[in-house]
Amino acid sequence: GENVEQHPSTLSVQEGDSAVIKCTYSDSASNYFPWYKQELGKRPQLIIDIRSNVGEKKDQRIAVTLNKTAKHFSLHITETQPEDSAVYFCAASDDKIIFGKGTRLHILP
Amino acid sequence: DGGITQSPKYLFRKEGQNVTLSCEQNLNHDAMYWYRQDPGQGLRLIYYSQIVNDFQKGDIAEGYSVSREKKESFPLTVTSAQKNPTAFYLCASSTTTGIGSGSPLHFGNGTRLTVT
């Protein structure tokens, strides 16, 4: 079955700097790659997703890139703000969605 | 107001007792999922259902059971066979199902189960 690896597990960046979170997946049949943000005590919320026929997608300060050959995809957050502090999960899907273990992002003042 | 409702928010049980967690959605979604969340472990898939009266095991199904008698409902029973049942349980649903049709998950607010 699918296995998703996510790095780093914890990331601290200065406010205004960029943050990058990387994931790899094992199942070449996976074709849908969502990213979720979970704030403390709340449910995960979708922030961006990408399908396998697209190499990059951007939404304001958030972008995701996908390399199907290497089976890895990344989340990029630019101009980080305090409200970006949260746990971020990547996921890969063929018929079911499998998640990485998460990255705790700290935005330092 | 459409969404996914999980109840209760907090649940306490004695070891050896079965307990059922409720999940109801009014989004008319075909697929429903149960995930377990433990610190540092991410979200691990317990069971999922792509259509009424059908469901499949996820990565950690042992000690759990589900049913999908109605499109709107996907209850999860944590049995006494589950060795470490204390966790945060999240239910989710999505619009499309099947291979090649991934779509976003909509999550409920979760149930925190404590077994002592």
Side-chain angles (χ1 to χ4, degrees):
Chain A
E2 177 63 275
N3 182 51
V4 178
E5 299 283 340
Q6 182 171 349
H7 300 280
S9 57
T10 305
L11 178 61
S12 296
V13 301
Q14 211 69 37
E15 182 178 348
D17 288 350
S18 295
V20 180
I21 301 170
K22 298 183 179 182
C23 290
T24 60
Y25 62 100
S26 60
D27 188 350
S28 56
S30 289
N31 52 29
Y32 174 65
F33 306 92
W35 287 87
Y36 288 82
K37 175 183 180 182
Q38 187 178 29
E39 297 177 6
L40 191 63
K42 295 189 177 181
R43 72 181 88 182
Q45 300 264 9
L46 179 75
I47 55 171
I48 195 167
D49 56 10
I50 192 168
R51 297 187 188 275
S52 57
N53 58 347
V54 175
E56 184 173 356
K57 184 177 178 180
K58 190 173 181 180
D59 182 4
Q60 299 182 348
R61 296 186 297 109
I62 295 173
V64 58
T65 58
L66 171 65
N67 183 329
K68 278 206 73 179
T69 303
K71 290 194 216 148
H72 66 70
F73 55 115
S74 301
L75 177 72
H76 304 252
I77 305 174
T78 59
E79 301 171 14
T80 53
Q81 300 170 3
E83 54 265 36
D84 294 330
S85 292
V87 179
Y88 291 80
F89 294 98
C90 64
S93 172
D94 182 4
D95 64 333
K96 60 185 186 289
I97 296 183
I98 301 300
F99 287 83
K101 292 187 176 181
T103 295
R104 185 172 297 278
L105 177 62
H106 300 276
I107 306 302
L108 306 173
Chain B
D1 187 25
I4 300 179
T5 301
Q6 288 188 244
S7 60
K9 188 173 181 179
Y10 299 97
L11 190 54
F12 298 89
R13 279 293 181 272
K14 294 289 187 186
E15 194 174 323
Q17 293 179 335
N18 292 354
V19 59
T20 297
L21 282 60
S22 170
C23 179
E24 303 278 334
Q25 54 101 357
N26 60 6
L27 300 168
N28 199 34
H29 285 174
D30 291 311
M32 296 187 75
Y33 307 78
W34 276 104
Y35 289 90
R36 170 178 171 146
Q37 187 171 26
D38 297 283
Q41 293 293 319
L43 287 80
R44 292 184 290 169
L45 183 63
I46 305 172
Y47 268 99
Y48 65 109
S49 167
Q50 297 175 329
I51 196 169
V52 174
N53 291 323
D54 188 39
F55 48 83
Q56 288 79 40
K57 293 181 179 180
D59 297 327
I60 56 165
E62 185 175 349
Y64 299 97
S65 65
V66 293
S67 63
R68 187 86 187 276
E69 297 177 1
K70 298 186 299 182
K71 187 175 184 178
E72 305 80 24
S73 179
F74 191 41
L76 173 74
T77 296
V78 184
T79 75
S80 56
Q82 167 49 232
K83 291 183 172 53
N84 295 296
T86 294
F88 186 56
Y89 291 88
L90 282 162
C91 179
S93 69
S94 66
T95 54
T96 54
T97 64
I99 293 173
S101 58
S103 62
L105 294 177
H106 297 256
F107 284 93
N109 283 324
T111 293
R112 188 166 297 281
L113 173 65
T114 302
V115 177
T116 57

